[in-house]
C-alpha cells in the first residue's frame, strides 16, 4: 500500500494547506514507509520532534529539578522546572506530578515581588506553567542558607532541638559540589579558592538579609513561619558593569515553611522525611499567597502560553 496522503499530490497540498501541513504529510509518509522496513527506524521520534518544537531548543544545562534552554534573545535563558524531587544528593528520587508547575508559580511570585521592591534578580517573566524567562548570569558556586529557626542540618550538627528560635538570623555558605555533598564552607574558603571576592560576599550577604526580611514578612502574613531557606546568586554582566543578583528558584523545594499554628510542614521535608502530601502542601502555600484559587488543582502537562 502506498502512502495514503500521496492521493492528494504534494504540490497541491503545499499550495493549499501551506508548508506546515506538507511537513506533517512528509512525516506521516516517512513513518508509514519506515514501518514497512525491517531496519530499526523510529518514525515516532521524528513525528515527536516535528510536533513538539520545544525539543529543538538548545539545552544549556540540566540539573536535578530544572532544565535551562537558550533564550529568545542574547543574554536570556528559559528556566524549565521539572516534576523531579530529589533529596540526599539525588540518592532519593521521585517524579511528583504537578510539583514543577507549583514551584514555577510560587517562584515567579517571590521573584516578581523581589524585583518590585528593588532586590535585583535574574527573573524577567513567566512564560507558561513550567517555564520562566531569565537573564543569563554567571552562577556563583555557593548555596546561601539563611536560618531563623533551628532545623535540618543545623539541628543535627549542633544538637539544637528543631523549632528553637535562633537568637538572630544566621547565614551559612555551602560549596555547590554534588561529588562532595555540598560541604559547608567559610568566607576564608570562598575567597582563598576564588569562588567569590570579599566585596561579592558582602553583596551576597546584604541580598540574603533583604530576601529573608521580605520572605519572613510575606509568609508571616499568610500564617506561615519561614524556618530557613536556600538561595543562589549570580553575576549579571551589563557591558563592563557587573552586579550580584538572586538567581535559581525560591520555592517550597528550597525553603522550610511551617504552619504558624500547627507547625505542619509545607515544604520539601514532606518528601525528604517520607511524610507524603507534598503537592497538597505546596498547593496550600500557593493558595495562601493568592496564586491559586481554593480547590484549584495544579495544572500540569505541556507548557501553555500565558497571554
Ligand atoms: P539544611 O542544611 O538544614 O539541610 O537545609 C537548609 C535549607 O536550605 C532548607 O530550607 C533546605 O530546603 C535548603 N537546601 C539546602 N540544600 C539544598 C539543595 O541542595 N536544594 C534545595 N532545593 N534546597 C536546599
Amino acid at each position: 500500500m502506498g502512502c495514503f496522503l500521496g492521493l492528494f499530490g504534494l504540490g497541491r497540498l503545499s499550495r493549499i494547506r501551506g508548508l506546515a501541513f506538507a511537513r506533517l504529510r512528509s512525516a506521516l509518509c516517512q513513518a508509514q514507509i519506515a514501518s514497512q522496513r525491517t531496519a530499526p527506524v523510529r518514525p515516532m521520534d521524528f513525528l515527536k520532534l516535528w510536533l513538539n518544537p520545544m525539543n529543538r531548543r538548545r539545552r544549556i544545562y540540566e540539573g536535578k529539578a530544572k532544565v535551562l534552554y537558550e533564550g529568545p534573545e542574547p543574554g536570556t535563558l528559559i528556566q524549565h522546572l521539572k516534576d523531579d524531587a530529589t533529596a540526599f544528593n539525588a540518592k532519593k528520587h521521585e517524579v511528583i506530578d504537578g510539583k514543577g508547575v507549583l514551584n514555577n508559580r510560587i517562584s515567579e511570585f517571590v521573584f516578581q515581588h523581589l524585583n518590585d521592591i528593588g532586590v535585583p534578580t535574574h527573573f524577567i517573566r513567566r512564560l507558561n506553567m513550567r517555564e520562566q524567562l531569565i537573564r543569563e548570569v554567571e552562577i556563583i558556586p555557593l548555596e546561601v542558607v539563611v536560618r531563623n529557626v533551628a532545623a535540618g542540618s543545623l539541628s543535627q550538627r549542633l544538637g539544637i532541638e528543631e523549632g528553637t528560635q535562633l537568637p538572630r538570623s544566621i547565614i551559612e555558605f555551602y560549596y555547590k559540589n554534588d561529588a562532595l555533598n555540598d560541604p559547608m564552607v567559610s568566607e576564608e574558603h570562598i575567597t582563598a579558592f576564588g569562588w567569590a571576592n570579599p566585596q561579592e560576599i558582602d553583596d551576597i550577604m546584604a541580598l540574603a538579609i533583604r530576601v529573608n526580611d521580605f520572605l519572613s514578612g510575606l509568609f508571616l502574613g499568610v500564617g506561615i513561619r519561614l524556618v530557613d531557606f536556600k538561595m543562589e546568586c549570580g553575576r549579571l554582566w551589563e557591558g563592563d558593569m557587573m552586579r550580584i543578583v538572586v538567581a535559581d528558584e525560591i520555592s517550597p523545594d528550597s525553603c522550610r515553611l511551617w504552619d504558624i499554628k500547627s507547625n505542619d510542614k509545607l515544604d520539601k521535608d514532606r518528601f525528604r522525611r517520607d511524610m507524603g502530601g507534598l503537592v497538597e502542601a505546596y498547593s496550600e502555600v500557593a493558595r495562601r499567597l493568592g496564586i491559586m484559587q481554593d480547590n484549584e488543582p495544579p495544572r500540569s502537562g505541556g507548557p501553555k502560553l500565558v497571554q
Side-chain angles (χ1 to χ4, degrees):
M1 192 176 71
C3 173
F4 69 93
L5 278 172
L7 290 171
F8 295 98
L10 175 63
R12 223 170 126 210
L13 243 189
S14 304
R15 278 197 304 278
I16 297 169
R17 303 280 162 102
L19 183 63
F21 196 56
R23 283 166 88 184
L24 175 60
R25 170 189 177 279
S26 158
L28 287 169
C29 285
Q30 287 215 11
Q32 213 175 33
I33 291 162
S35 70
Q36 291 166 0
R37 291 193 196 124
T38 49
V41 177
R42 297 174 61 193
M44 293 317 287
D45 286 353
F46 180 79
L47 259 183
K48 261 193 244 160
L49 189 72
W50 187 86
L51 292 169
N52 184 3
M54 298 293 179
N55 291 345
R56 293 208 207 108
R57 296 185 302 186
R58 198 158 77 86
R59 195 165 48 179
I60 307 288
Y61 163 87
E62 176 149 12
K64 285 172 268 191
K66 71 171 184 224
V67 187
L68 295 178
Y69 295 100
E70 196 170 55
E73 289 164 27
T76 65
L77 295 174
I78 293 169
Q79 177 167 271
H80 175 111
L81 298 187
K82 302 196 286 186
D83 281 338
D84 297 62
T86 62
F88 315 118
N89 202 6
K91 287 185 190 77
K92 185 174 160 87
H93 175 242
E94 245 175 70
V95 176
I96 301 179
D97 191 30
K99 184 179 83 80
V101 171
L102 283 159
N103 281 346
N104 190 35
R105 297 295 299 270
I106 296 169
S107 197
E108 171 204 10
F109 184 91
V110 168
F111 274 81
Q112 187 57 62
H113 279 79
L114 289 174
N115 283 347
D116 290 347
I117 61 167
V119 176
T121 80
H122 72 162
F123 179 82
I124 301 174
R125 67 188 159 89
R126 181 164 65 88
L127 294 173
N128 55 54
M129 295 303 277
R130 284 182 184 277
E131 297 179 328
Q132 34 187 265
L133 186 65
I134 59 170
R135 287 181 218 290
E136 186 171 16
V137 298
E138 196 183 296
I139 286 286
I140 294 171
L142 296 172
E143 292 187 345
V144 184
V145 170
V146 184
R147 301 181 186 272
N148 302 306
V149 175
S153 69
L154 178 90
S155 290
Q156 280 175 9
R157 204 169 45 242
L158 302 181
I160 302 173
E161 194 184 346
E162 280 217 328
T164 308
Q165 184 71 40
L166 297 173
R168 62 175 175 81
S169 302
I170 293 174
I171 301 177
E172 298 172 342
F173 297 105
Y174 294 82
Y175 176 46
K176 267 167 67 79
N177 186 315
D178 285 344
L180 299 174
N181 265 335
D182 299 343
M184 188 159 96
V185 291
S186 70
E187 292 180 43
E188 282 287 285
H189 297 113
I190 297 168
T191 50
F193 295 119
W195 299 322
N197 65 35
Q199 177 60 54
E200 290 173 332
I201 295 177
D202 284 352
D203 291 350
I204 291 169
M205 290 181 79
L207 283 178
I209 291 165
R210 291 181 73 189
V211 173
N212 186 47
D213 285 349
F214 168 73
L215 287 181
S216 297
L218 174 76
F219 286 120
L220 195 60
V222 294
I224 292 174
R225 186 143 69 132
L226 177 68
V227 171
D228 55 35
F229 69 96
K230 184 263 306 185
M231 63 175 227
E232 296 187 20
C233 294
R235 296 185 186 91
L236 177 64
W237 290 92
E238 284 157 330
D240 287 344
M241 296 288 288
M242 184 279 290
R243 58 187 174 137
I244 306 286
V245 303
V246 183
D248 194 50
E249 65 170 301
I250 297 179
S251 70
D253 261 11
S254 52
C255 301
R256 280 201 176 90
L257 304 170
W258 295 356
D259 180 82
I260 215 119
K261 286 198 193 125
S262 65
N263 276 340
D264 275 355
K265 297 184 194 313
L266 303 171
D267 57 62
K268 198 171 150 188
D269 272 351
R270 300 203 74 86
F271 169 72
R272 294 188 189 103
R273 302 181 187 193
D274 293 321
M275 298 169 77
L278 180 135
V279 165
E280 291 76 6
Y282 286 26
S283 300
E284 176 63 15
V285 173
R287 191 191 62 76
R288 290 197 198 180
L289 292 174
I291 298 169
M292 278 168 51
Q293 304 305 311
D294 284 347
N295 303 323
E296 183 190 338
R299 279 195 294 143
S300 61
K304 292 166 188 69
L305 270 182
V306 174
Q307 298 304 319

